[in-house]
Amino acid sequence: MIDIKSMTEEEITQALRDLGEPTFRGKQVFTWLHRGVSSFDEMTNLSKPLREKLRERYVIHVPKAARRQVSALDGTVKYLWELHDGNCIESVLMRYHHGNTVCISSQVGCRMGCAFCASTVGGKVRDLTPSELLDQVIFTQADSGLPISNIVLMGIGEPMDNLDNVLRFLELVNHPDGLHIGMRHISLSTCGVVPGIDRLADLELQLTLSVSLHAPDSETRSTIMPVNRAYDVEELFRACRRYFERTGRRISFEYAMIDGVNDHDWQADRIAEQVRGMPAHVNLIPLNDVRESSLRPSRRLSAFQKRLEHHGLTATVRRSLGGDIDASCGQLRRKAMEEREGGDSI
Ligand code: SAH
């Protein structure tokens, strides 16, 4: 059975033409899907025989909200979605002044192996399909009743390790007959997969690229991020420069501050050297304690921030939302995995 919500409007239109339907049918079906219907019977402007034909050939998957945690502190909502095959993923709804933002997952688990990250502890189970990426936006909006204006691909998984599906998702979510979320309202975060950055640069999309830097020197970075052994810091910064030259977009560097590992002044100086001549924003993140790791949060956040600013860089400290609800990457999924009998992967 074909997953119809992963198809573009053009593909749906063609498929319906092949069934003898007029061209405008494609748009009707596409619009219904992006409104979050769970069956063809809800598509009331289609004839019964057509709905029947579609049901024989296509499937509409809909995720189930397996858990929902609302932060009493700031209204952040964390969702654990159960997918049609029983796997689970997380999305987080954050309420900012500039609009409601949903942080979505790109894979079930992750194979990048970053030492400080809970999402990668059990490895990668599988990639998410375009419709599973899209459903996180559709159903977070439907469930919360809040209009979503921004998307960040910063949940579980590495988007560049599932780039074909992520690119298709971007096309779907950006479509005027769907959710129509503009590229400038979308951020994609990568641990530094250089070929992926180059592929994205070639498309010249207006989205924001976030690079999880976490250390400006290869010696440190390789100890906490295995991806650095494939694409080291120098190669990564060259790719960032190419990205900026192609797209004209300022890159955002994520930097989780880890006690005694990446919080030395010389590392702030090194960041400034590496990004010279390129507009950059450094986002300092207080490290979230992950039980599985021995790394501890740094106490030098503001000193490090000042040092970066002294070099003329824009550096911010990320406001932490949802501190009371396991709202950082992979934590809720890990907890649910441990609680589930037999410890199946979810
Ligand atoms: N794989 C992509 C997308 C995940 S984004 C990437 O690496 O960018 C999630 C962000 O949270 C990344 O910047 C990641 O490095 C960061 N992160 C993971 N674990 C963290 C922790 N314990 N504390 C703070 N930030 C963390």
Side-chain angles (χ1 to χ4, degrees):
M1 289 282 255
I2 299 168
D3 163 24
I4 191 167
K5 218 187 301 174
S6 286
M7 292 166 72
T8 63
E9 190 178 284
E10 294 66 35
E11 288 168 345
I12 295 173
T13 302
Q14 188 54 49
L16 285 161
R17 267 205 219 109
D18 295 344
L19 292 174
E21 292 293 323
T23 303
F24 65 84
R25 252 336 147 231
K27 178 174 171 170
Q28 287 178 331
V29 171
F30 184 88
T31 305
W32 281 117
L33 291 169
H34 289 235
R35 278 191 210 154
V37 297
S38 55
S39 75
F40 291 106
D41 279 334
E42 290 172 61
M43 302 185 180
T44 46
N45 52 0
L46 307 190
S47 69
K48 281 225 167 97
L50 176 59
R51 288 185 228 163
E52 188 54 42
K53 272 194 234 169
L54 290 172
R55 199 170 25 240
E56 282 164 12
R57 292 168 176 80
Y58 300 102
V59 61
I60 305 174
H61 292 304
V62 167
K64 228 177 33 211
R67 287 191 198 192
R68 193 187 284 107
Q69 295 186 336
V70 184
S71 165
L73 302 174
D74 49 46
T76 298
V77 188
K78 176 129 190 178
Y79 289 96
L80 186 74
W81 301 111
E82 186 175 333
L83 307 175
H84 67 95
D85 64 353
N87 277 303
C88 286
I89 50 163
E90 296 173 25
S91 318
V92 184
L93 168 65
M94 293 164 291
R95 307 180 65 173
Y96 292 111
H97 294 301
H98 60 269
N100 299 314
T101 300
V102 63
C103 173
I104 66 169
S105 296
S106 55
Q107 296 176 314
V108 180
C110 183
R111 62 188 184 114
M112 294 296 135
C114 298
F116 44 81
C117 184
S119 302
T120 198
V121 174
K124 179 181 108 168
V125 178
R126 69 171 175 85
D127 289 330
L128 293 184
T129 61
S131 67
E132 288 167 335
L133 290 157
L134 181 68
D135 279 343
Q136 295 176 68
V137 188
I138 295 176
F139 290 98
T140 297
Q141 185 165 269
D143 187 273
S144 66
L146 297 169
I148 304 290
S149 51
N150 300 282
I151 301 170
V152 295
L153 279 142
M154 283 199 188
I156 297 170
E158 169 51 46
M160 298 286 191
D161 192 36
N162 184 22
L163 195 51
D164 288 337
N165 288 347
V166 165
L167 291 177
R168 181 174 273 259
F169 155 70
L170 292 174
E171 187 181 337
L172 294 175
V173 81
N174 184 231
H175 199 286
D177 296 330
L179 295 177
H180 202 188
I181 295 180
M183 286 295 168
R184 285 174 182 267
H185 296 266
I186 302 176
S187 295
L188 183 152
S189 182
T190 178
C191 64
V193 181
V194 165
I197 296 175
D198 282 330
R199 217 179 129 194
L200 200 61
D202 282 340
L203 296 172
E204 297 182 23
L205 300 176
Q206 288 301 295
L207 52 75
T208 299
L209 180 66
S210 281
V211 172
S212 297
L213 182 61
H214 305 318
D217 57 294
S218 272
E219 208 183 321
T220 310
R221 198 165 188 267
S222 288
T223 63
I224 51 175
M225 300 180 73
V227 68
N228 197 74
R229 291 174 219 149
Y231 312 105
D232 69 15
V233 165
E234 275 65 37
E235 220 181 321
L236 175 59
F237 277 108
R238 280 197 295 275
C240 290
R241 248 168 234 286
R242 288 194 292 274
Y243 186 87
F244 166 66
E245 280 155 18
R246 270 318 274 274
T247 63
R249 302 284 294 164
R250 179 176 84 163
I251 295 179
S252 184
F253 292 96
E254 306 295 305
Y255 203 94
M257 297 286 290
I258 310 171
D259 185 38
V261 175
N262 64 0
D263 60 351
H264 305 288
D265 279 346
W266 67 265
Q267 284 162 319
D269 301 343
R270 185 74 69 85
I271 295 175
E273 266 168 49
Q274 298 278 24
V275 301
R276 189 158 295 146
M278 164 172 74
H281 171 224
V282 182
N283 197 8
L284 302 174
I285 312 167
L287 183 77
N288 277 302
D289 251 323
V290 174
R291 240 194 307 143
E292 287 87 351
S293 140
S294 59
L295 303 170
R296 292 292 158 247
S298 166
R299 283 152 298 185
R300 300 201 66 249
L301 256 85
S302 60
F304 202 82
Q305 181 185 22
K306 285 202 186 86
R307 187 104 185 170
L308 290 170
E309 283 170 349
H310 164 79
H311 288 291
L313 281 174
T314 314
T316 49
V317 175
R318 181 186 285 173
R319 192 163 61 99
S320 182
L321 294 179
D324 53 337
I325 56 161
D326 301 312
S328 49
C329 296
Q331 292 185 355
L332 184 59
R333 178 170 169 265
R334 293 289 306 155
K335 210 185 215 175
M337 265 166 92
E338 283 165 12
E339 284 167 16
R340 196 182 259 197
E341 262 185 356
D344 328 347
S345 69
I346 63 168

